[in-house]
Amino acid sequence: MKHNLIALSFMAIGMCMATASIHAQTTLKDAFKDDFRIGVAINQNQFDNEDQRGDPIIETQFNAISPENILKWESVHPEPGKYDFAGPDRYVEFGEKNHMLIVGHTLVWHNQTPKWVFQDTNGNPVTREVLLERMRDHIHTVVGRYQGRIKIWDVVNEALLDNGKLRKSPWEKIIGDDYIEKAFQYAHEADPDAILRYNDYSLENEPKRSGAIALIKKLQAEGIPVTAIGLQDHVKMDWPAVEQEDATISAFAALGLKVMITELDVNVLGGKQTAEITEMANQGGANLYTNGLPPVVQQELAKRYADLFRVFVKHHNDITLVTFWGVTDGDSWLNMRGRINHPLLFDRAGRPKPAFDAVIQVARPAAAK
Ligand code: GLA
């Protein structure tokens, strides 16, 4: 009898330990493996394997990567005729070594693109023909170099204003509205098998969403190979509402596009919702949590993440990738100008936050799939 009790207690302890270790071993990529890939934007230290805190997290938790900066025009093509592929090569090798889906970000954007791209040697704007040729050369050279290795490209980033009209960027002003068509055509020529994305922020809001839908429909009617939409999802605690997120995903899926969440983070400090770095810096909310997130806000953040992931899982047939914009809170762009933000699933020490557990809990049990 006594022996049986002892045996039972050991069994109970063993079962608890097994449960705890299964829980401890559950990773983001495994939890959602039947739904979508889980990606992360990585920086140079990380793809150079020099981030002792971040790299183990990247390698165990994620199965897709995006380059935070190394493939932006100013990094990869800083001067006329001068490409710098040292960093991008290492980024791609890092992804291949870890058997990850590798994303390219971004080809045509108004930010982090050098002025020379739009100017002649006297500083005057170049002609449409010259700019188209520069764009073609850039896209063919960069996409062509990684053909078959980088599977997804953000071809055009942030072409729309909040009112849904085309942004008057140097691309639009010099080439005209069809710069978008041209960019997708050049990318398709350079890698016919790549998935080509249009990527933007605040697409959850009307009328920006309507503008994006009209743009995609126009491109599709012209036979332009746009195959995916990137919802950046730099979100806040109270924006967008889950209903808005849900309706937005449905609206783009209805166009036959694969939907990808491309730059997910939750700005706990609030401020204007935008991904524009200049606006963010000027209009960010108060720097409330410089000594860490209070437990009650940790729980609110966990709930926010769980609510968002419930929407993503609901759309698992249309969503193929959910990418976080950074590994740990300390890596995030949302810390700019001295703000201490807490937008991701891992804290500054690399420990999973309550939001990590909340996201894992949302994953559907195997039996329900
Ligand atoms: C935009 C860009 C990203 C990144 C973020 C924040 O969303 O697409 O590459 O620069 O802004 O910095």
Side-chain angles (χ1 to χ4, degrees), residues 68 72 105 109 112 157-158 232 234 263 275 277 325 333:
E68 189 177 9
K72 290 174 179 171
H105 170 87
W109 190 26
Q112 293 183 262
N157 202 33
E158 304 179 352
Q232 289 186 2
H234 294 293
E263 305 185 14
I277 296 186
W325 203 250
W333 71 294

Side-chain angles (χ1 to χ4, degrees), residues 310-329:
R310 266 189 286 277
V311 178
F312 302 155
V313 168
K314 175 182 167 193
H315 291 279
H316 65 98
N317 285 330
D318 296 309
I319 293 185
T320 55
L321 173 62
V322 175
T323 294
F324 290 85
W325 203 250
V327 183
T328 71
D329 285 342

Side-chain angles (χ1 to χ4, degrees), residues 63-95:
N63 52 16
I65 47 170
S66 292
E68 189 177 9
N69 286 307
I70 204 74
L71 275 165
K72 290 174 179 171
W73 193 308
E74 68 180 9
S75 302
V76 70
H77 191 179
E79 288 167 36
K82 178 173 175 274
Y83 286 88
D84 183 354
F85 286 118
D89 283 356
R90 296 199 305 276
Y91 162 74
V92 172
E93 283 156 17
F94 177 91

